[in-house]
Amino acid sequence: MTDNDSVTSEPENLKHRRIRSFVLRMGRMTAGQQRALDALWPRFGIEYTTDSLNLDEVFGRHAPRMIEIGFGTGEALCAYAQAHPEVDCLGIEVHRPGAGHLLLQVEQYGISNVRASCHDAVEVLTHQLVPASIDAVHIFFPDPWHKARHHKRRLIQPVFADLLARVLKPGGILRLATDWQHYAEHMRAVLDVHPSFTNVADDTGYMPRPDDRPLTRFERRGHRLGHGVWDMAYQRR
Ligand SMILES: C[S@@+](CC[C@H](N)C(=O)[O-])C[C@H]1O[C@@H](n2cnc3c(N)ncnc32)[C@H](O)[C@@H]1O
């Protein structure tokens, strides 16, 4: 993430349509990531369209479904998919080298229950995912957008919570983690009062770190910087 707000390839008339939660970096794609994308995207990749996605067709079965938004390099997504072969796991990440890295792990570990979308999650949730179709949403270490003038770019906002509520099944679970206390408090401020969510943590409002959440690249970075970590969980009413 950089502070450069200007990177967008949208047509002029759409530029001011919406504040994005990401800046597309031209990060280096390794040869391995490119090879994995070339070889595996046709099988594991999902192209963005404005049509509804038939997840039964995409995964070739009817199963419980989780999505991870902003999976980065995909460690948490792959670990979850391996630990839960009965669950179909869709990762959404705008950063293409991250998708390549995910597919390298899919190949290395022979994972079959993962699919990837390389597109803005706001649009995927708005157009491609059908209402009440998802059992769990994971959002781990979303970009914190530290500066006050950038807080509007944070992914977790009331309108995004509406989108999450729309795709989650009643009883479905939203899991979040951040290493930035101010963002944790912001998430609580948005979600604790949202009519479709119930905070399922203890009296503190936060969860103990779940054993099944592997250390991600950003969490390791947070540890190096001496940050704390705040885990949260909400149930869709
Ligand atoms: C700080 S990184 C964390 C990555 C990973 N979850 C981890 O813990 O290492 C946040 C990621 O979210 C992605 N992202 C931000 N906004 C997004 C959006 N609207 N749709 C999809 N991905 C997004 C960014 O590209 C970035 O890779």
Side-chain angles (χ1 to χ4, degrees), residues 21-22 25 70 72 93-94 119-121 140-141 143 216-218:
S21 60
F22 58 88
R25 297 151 286 155
E93 168 58 62
V94 284
H119 196 79
D120 183 351
F140 298 147
F141 304 94
D143 294 305
T216 65
R217 189 164 150 253
F218 271 81

Side-chain angles (χ1 to χ4, degrees), residues 118-196:
C118 209
H119 196 79
D120 183 351
V122 173
E123 294 187 346
V124 174
L125 267 66
T126 303
H127 297 293
Q128 283 193 290
L129 297 184
V130 298
S133 60
I134 303 296
D135 297 86
V137 177
H138 295 178
I139 307 177
F140 298 147
F141 304 94
D143 294 305
W145 292 106
H146 302 107
K147 294 180 183 170
R149 69 189 158 91
H150 289 150
H151 287 174
K152 56 184 181 291
R153 282 180 166 271
R154 288 175 169 173
L155 189 61
I156 306 301
Q157 307 286 359
V159 284
F160 190 67
D162 293 343
L163 277 180
L164 294 170
R166 177 181 165 276
V167 300
L168 270 168
K169 293 179 186 170
I173 293 289
L174 167 64
R175 290 172 59 177
L176 302 140
T178 179
D179 66 341
W180 193 247
Q181 184 173 2
H182 188 272
Y183 198 9
E185 289 162 0
H186 171 90
M187 290 173 179
R188 294 275 316 274
V190 170
L191 294 166
D192 283 6
V193 299
H194 193 285
S196 300

Side-chain angles (χ1 to χ4, degrees), residues 44-70:
F44 293 98
I46 295 179
E47 297 298 341
Y48 173 72
T49 72
T50 51
D51 298 333
S52 301
L53 202 54
N54 182 332
L55 289 173
D56 286 0
E57 269 176 20
V58 165
F59 285 97
R61 64 177 181 174
H62 186 71
R65 261 144 213 167
M66 72 80 86
I67 60 174
E68 182 174 340
I69 297 174

